[in-house]
């Protein structure tokens, strides 16, 4: 048994009947956050480096399942 999750757009599944479970990357939000950090860095070059996380959304598909009980990897 195997579960699969895809990071990003599931363009490959357009050519097959697979319904991939995937993490949808919020590109617009990520770009806006990166631009904001860049502006902050340019305006205050002595400020410490910062790191932001932008949450991905799980898009339900048919390739992820709960493990069967009693089985070991």
């Amino acid at each position: 048994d195997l579960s699969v999750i895809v990071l990003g757009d599931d363009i490959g599944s357009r050519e097959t009947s697979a319904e991939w479970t995937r993490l949808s990357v919020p590109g617009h939000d990520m770009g806006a956050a990166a631009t904001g950090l860049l502006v902050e860095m340019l305006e205050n070059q002595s400020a410490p480096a910062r790191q932001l996380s932008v949450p991905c959304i799980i898009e339900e598909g048919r390739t992820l399942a709960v493990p069967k009980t009693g089985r070991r990897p």
Side-chain angles (χ1 to χ4, degrees):
D1 296 332
L2 175 70
S3 288
V4 177
I5 189 165
V6 177
L7 177 60
D9 195 13
D10 62 341
I11 58 173
S13 70
R14 293 180 191 151
E15 299 172 9
T16 69
S17 61
E19 294 178 36
W20 297 96
T21 300
R22 65 188 181 95
L23 291 172
S24 178
V25 179
H28 183 269
D29 294 343
M30 190 175 358
T35 301
L37 286 176
L38 177 60
V39 169
E40 286 179 23
M41 288 174 54
L42 293 172
E43 290 177 344
N44 184 3
Q45 295 181 13
S46 63
R50 291 194 324 131
Q51 188 174 359
L52 291 177
S53 294
V54 180
C56 293
I57 298 168
I58 297 177
E59 301 285 344
E60 296 285 334
R62 299 179 53 93
T63 60
L64 188 64
V66 177
K68 294 180 180 178
T69 59
R71 304 225 16 207
R72 297 188 75 188

